[in-house]
Amino acid sequence: QVHLVESGGGSAQAGGSLRLSCAASGYTYSSYCMGWFRQVPGKEREWVATIGSDGSTSYVDSVKGRFTISKDNAKNTLYLQMDSLKPEDTAMYYCTIRWYPVAVLCPSQQYEYIIWGQGTHVTVSS
């Protein structure tokens, strides 16, 4: 059974940084997509970034140049480095994983993923 545990959320000032982590266990996919989504109350869960098993990455336009997704295969851990934070980045952040063919762009729609962590909250104040 795949298990995802996020950590690293908290509060930051606008312009500051936070690093989210997602420890993954129980998966045996040889090729996969891992990603970060975020959600604010009353809104749909929004795609933030994804990374394929080949290391290819993609980002929503609003975080390009500010956020960096990465993974440490030895530690089975996904990261999201968030720099130049803005108040509109305030949300609950969730990590996700699914099997996916290598070298194919990871999907960015929420319904494509069914395995989620419990989330970690990020608050950015102005």
Side-chain angles (χ1 to χ4, degrees):
Q1 183 177 356
V2 181
H3 194 50
L4 302 173
V5 180
E6 301 97 333
S7 60
S11 298
Q13 294 282 330
S17 298
L18 285 172
R19 188 196 197 200
L20 306 184
S21 299
C22 173
S25 61
Y27 70 95
T28 58
Y29 314 133
S30 58
S31 64
Y32 54 83
C33 287
M34 295 188 77
W36 291 96
F37 284 69
R38 63 187 179 186
Q39 190 171 22
V40 297
K43 291 194 173 182
E44 294 277 326
R45 195 166 292 188
E46 173 193 38
W47 168 64
V48 176
T50 44
I51 186 167
S53 49
D54 63 351
S56 57
T57 60
S58 55
Y59 301 87
V60 67
D61 285 347
S62 60
V63 309
K64 282 181 182 176
R66 301 190 299 119
F67 291 9
T68 304
I69 189 171
S70 63
K71 57 187 175 72
D72 184 329
N73 292 328
K75 296 182 179 180
N76 289 335
T77 301
L78 177 72
Y79 301 101
L80 186 68
Q81 177 66 42
M82 305 187 295
D83 299 318
S84 302
L85 283 163
K86 302 177 179 180
E88 51 264 42
D89 295 320
T90 295
M92 184 72 82
Y93 283 74
Y94 298 90
C95 74
T96 186
I97 186 172
R98 62 161 291 168
W99 176 88
Y100 211 67
V102 68
V104 178
L105 187 66
C106 288
S108 59
Q109 299 297 317
Q110 176 190 349
Y111 66 80
E112 296 275 4
Y113 299 87
I114 59 172
I115 298 172
W116 299 90
Q118 83 288 349
T120 186
H121 197 267
V122 170
T123 301
V124 184
S125 56
S126 57

